[in-house]
Amino acid sequence: MAKEDYETIIGLEVHCELSTKTKIFCSCPTDFGGEPNTHCCPVCMALPGSLPVLNEKVVEYAVKAGLATNCEITKVSKNDRKNYFYPDLPKSYQISQFDLPLCHDGKVNIELENGEEKVIEIERIHIEEDAGKLNHDEYGRGSFVDLNRAGVPLIEVVSRPDMRSAEEAETYMRKLKSIFEYIEVSDCKMQEGSLRADVNVSVRKKGDKLGTRTEMKNMSSFRSIVRAIKYEASRQIEVLEEGGVIHQETLRWDDISGKTFPMRDKEDAQDYRYFPDPDLAPIILTDEYIDNIRNALPELPESRKKRYLSDYELSMKAANIVTSSKYYSNMFEEAIKVCNNPKSVSNWIMSDIARILNEKEQEPDEIPFTGEELGELVKLIDDGKISSAIAKKVLEEMFENPKSPNKIVEEKGWIQISDEGAIKEIVTKILDNNPQSIIDFKAGKDKALGFLVGQAMKETKGKANPQLLNKMFKEEMDKR
Ligand code: ZN
Ligand code: MN
């Protein structure tokens, strides 16, 4: 059978660190980094006799996340102990939620490449504590435990196996990231491990029942997730085509070789022996509590998208991209206050800004200038002060040496030449040097005009006003 006869089935378990000030069961700070073992106390170090107290903010943030992803909220839930041994887990169990997650049966919409929408269902969102970190000594003297992260609150968002390609999985995870950024429950910094995914992959011949899945844990970049899914799907197809079987196992993705490897220990055989944590009271929520959180939710991307389509008449594609990130969307709204040109602002975001971020492998929250400054740039074009060719150079400069566009244009001497006398001088010179183009133009070859304008732009390093050039080239050629 050919590869095209198979389909890939993907489900994600996304872990997201909540941006509460303090940890989930003690009052230690959740700040990233810091000297090892300085954000710790007897509770998060699991010293004998210490007792956990649930941080109410964690419940509030998790309910917020549940409501924003269309989940049902569980009014009576509890914390359970998930027992396993690992050196970064000082209690030898993780406090999580087993059969009664705080949120369940949600869904989010994702936009596919072909413009269609697809619903990805969320099975559950539960709260749990993060583990510490092991730092492996580069001289082989051993591994050192850092418990700063132990007890940082997490939500785990478990999707149903609804995704059918690496691209869909990426789009879904980006959507979750965007929603959590909009509602401000997490900074979602993947480079700091605030957002990471366990990726489940299986393949099946179209129409067959679900195949056996493998799992890749703790993936924390979109690029690796996409590569790993593609590799793992084709590996599974190859095994099946050769008559082999897929074993349910945990794999390790190696970014350098671009391959997956079985983990040495058989983690899947593990029995976590879940049981309710006797040190913590059940979590009981009232309708009033849930409604208050619902009513305080900020405007979500779906609603912003509708507004951009109707109020600013953006295209569906533009509205999707601009609302795909809170940072893009806020930038858009700030910029149009300055220049009142929503279409142009959305074009800059979709094309040049997205392209530069892509080249730099950066995310929208890393854009080094403000929405006002983007608005200023668009206004410079609209006022005829710079050409769009120059504006592209200004934008590059705004990324490299963030400064206001007005300042950049002034310092670099990039103001557009719109003086008729100066333009005429250039036009005359170019025409004198290209007599054949005049003949071509008069013979009806419109391309010749484009060529002449291009020459003039080259001569002026892109500073000449293109509308004026067009007009004056035509006028001058009529005279000759
Ligand atoms: Zn603590
Ligand atoms: Mn988990």
Side-chain angles (χ1 to χ4, degrees):
M1 271 187 114
K3 210 176 157 186
E4 302 78 60
D5 298 322
Y6 284 88
E7 82 180 330
T8 308
I9 316 282
I10 304 147
L12 295 186
E13 293 161 26
V14 174
H15 283 95
C16 175
E17 282 184 355
L18 299 177
S19 51
T20 55
K21 289 210 165 50
T22 57
K23 291 185 179 179
I24 184 168
F25 299 119
C26 62
S27 53
C28 292
T30 53
D31 305 342
F32 177 75
E35 283 293 301
N37 300 307
T38 53
H39 303 162
C40 306
C41 73
V43 174
C44 53
M45 288 191 298
L47 296 191
S50 63
L51 287 171
V53 178
L54 179 59
N55 179 349
E56 274 184 31
K57 274 278 170 204
V58 171
V59 176
E60 183 189 322
Y61 281 23
V63 169
K64 240 175 146 179
L67 292 171
T69 52
N70 307 295
C71 284
E72 305 284 327
I73 307 301
T74 314
K75 285 203 251 168
V76 181
S77 66
K78 64 185 166 69
N79 290 110
D80 300 283
R81 292 185 182 180
K82 179 182 182 180
N83 297 280
Y84 66 95
F85 174 77
Y86 202 71
D88 65 6
L89 188 73
K91 293 195 292 289
S92 269
Y93 60 82
Q94 177 193 32
I95 304 180
S96 179
Q97 293 191 293
F98 180 47
D99 52 337
L100 291 173
L102 201 52
C103 320
H104 61 95
D105 294 299
K107 57 171 194 269
V108 295
N109 280 334
I110 59 168
E111 293 84 24
L112 305 179
E113 286 272 285
N114 61 12
E116 281 171 29
E117 292 208 340
K118 176 171 179 174
V119 175
I120 306 295
E121 292 190 2
I122 290 170
E123 186 182 311
R124 56 185 282 155
I125 301 179
H126 63 255
I127 55 172
E128 61 186 23
E129 58 183 338
D130 210 343
K133 252 184 203 163
L134 287 184
N135 296 315
H136 304 292
D137 180 65
E138 54 186 308
Y139 304 108
R141 289 173 301 188
S143 295
F144 303 105
V145 186
D146 175 8
L147 294 178
N148 282 352
R149 201 179 66 177
V152 167
L154 292 173
I155 45 175
E156 180 177 334
V157 185
V158 182
S159 83
R160 296 199 187 277
D162 286 349
M163 288 147 275
R164 292 292 176 270
S165 68
E167 289 75 18
E168 279 183 22
E170 177 182 3
T171 308
Y172 162 73
M173 191 155 160
R174 283 192 182 276
K175 189 68 181 246
L176 282 188
K177 179 173 189 279
S178 154
I179 292 172
F180 297 156
E181 284 170 354
Y182 271 100
I183 61 173
E184 298 180 338
V185 296
S186 172
D187 64 18
C188 294
K189 287 187 182 161
M190 294 177 85
Q191 64 278 19
E192 294 182 2
S194 294
L195 189 73
R196 44 195 208 258
D198 299 344
V199 183
N200 291 289
V201 178
S202 65
V203 298
R204 69 174 170 195
K205 286 174 189 159
K206 283 176 188 154
D208 279 5
K209 62 176 174 45
L210 287 180
T212 305
R213 64 186 163 86
T214 57
E215 182 175 19
M216 293 168 280
K217 280 191 186 287
N218 270 321
M219 311 275 306
S220 59
S221 93
F222 290 120
R223 223 176 86 86
S224 314
I225 290 171
V226 168
R227 289 176 69 208
I229 292 172
K230 287 188 170 164
Y231 171 84
E232 182 54 17
S234 46
R235 184 192 70 83
Q236 291 184 14
I237 292 171
E238 219 167 277
V239 170
L240 294 174
E241 281 295 293
E242 284 166 7
V245 282
I246 304 298
H247 300 285
Q248 184 169 337
E249 62 185 339
T250 302
L251 303 172
R252 182 177 62 80
W253 165 254
D254 182 58
D255 229 358
I256 294 161
S257 65
K259 291 181 175 167
T260 54
F261 297 95
M263 304 261 265
R264 237 172 304 156
D265 50 337
K266 282 262 173 274
E267 277 192 73
D268 291 285
Q270 204 144 28
D271 173 6
Y272 293 118
R273 294 168 292 125
Y274 280 100
F275 66 89
D277 192 306
D279 294 334
L280 289 157
I283 305 165
I284 300 168
L285 307 178
T286 62
D287 285 324
E288 194 196 356
Y289 174 87
I290 298 166
D291 287 342
N292 282 342
I293 295 176
R294 196 192 310 272
N295 295 335
L297 279 178
E299 190 186 18
L300 292 168
E302 290 293 309
S303 146
R304 286 203 194 194
K305 190 165 99 186
K306 283 198 188 109
R307 206 156 49 77
Y308 295 173
L309 290 170
S310 64
D311 295 4
Y312 306 126
E313 295 175 336
L314 296 191
S315 69
M316 184 57 96
K317 186 177 173 206
N320 277 337
I321 295 179
V322 172
T323 56
S324 68
S325 154
K326 175 182 84 168
Y327 300 97
Y328 278 163
S329 180
N330 288 350
M331 171 159 268
F332 172 79
E333 298 200 0
E334 285 167 19
I336 60 174
K337 277 187 210 148
V338 176
C339 67
N340 197 20
N341 188 344
K343 286 217 171 116
S344 178
V345 171
S346 70
N347 277 332
W348 280 97
I349 292 175
M350 282 165 68
S351 51
D352 293 83
I353 293 178
R355 174 184 53 79
I356 294 171
L357 287 179
N358 196 23
E359 282 165 11
K360 291 174 167 289
E361 291 187 30
Q362 287 183 341
E363 293 293 315
D365 64 307
E366 295 170 273
I367 297 173
F369 50 85
T370 64
E372 279 95 4
E373 285 167 334
L374 177 61
E376 206 179 284
L377 179 69
V378 171
K379 197 163 185 303
L380 282 169
I381 310 166
D382 292 348
D383 291 348
K385 291 197 176 130
I386 57 172
S387 65
S388 32
I390 288 289
K392 283 181 197 282
K393 285 163 72 176
V394 176
L395 184 74
E396 301 271 352
E397 196 61 26
M398 286 161 75
F399 269 98
E400 296 314 318
N401 299 300
K403 259 186 217 167
S404 93
N406 274 311
K407 251 220 155 75
I408 293 172
V409 168
E410 195 189 300
E411 283 178 10
K412 300 263 180 190
W414 283 345
I415 291 284
Q416 179 159 272
I417 307 169
S418 294
D419 173 65
E420 296 218 3
I423 296 275
K424 189 172 174 185
E425 221 171 276
I426 298 156
V427 165
T428 308
K429 184 180 161 196
I430 302 283
L431 288 176
D432 288 349
N433 293 338
N434 298 281
Q436 185 60 41
S437 295
I438 305 175
I439 298 165
D440 289 348
F441 183 73
K442 294 200 172 183
K445 289 185 188 160
D446 288 343
K447 263 195 191 159
L449 180 62
F451 169 77
L452 290 166
V453 171
Q455 291 301 105
M457 278 298 195
K458 218 183 217 173
E459 178 82 19
T460 59
K461 301 198 172 75
K463 286 194 290 185
N465 180 328
Q467 286 84 22
L468 207 52
L469 276 179
N470 265 295
K471 180 172 150 261
M472 296 195 70
F473 267 120
K474 281 187 198 158
E475 283 175 10
E476 284 303 305
M477 284 193 283
D478 277 345
K479 287 184 208 160
R480 293 193 185 202

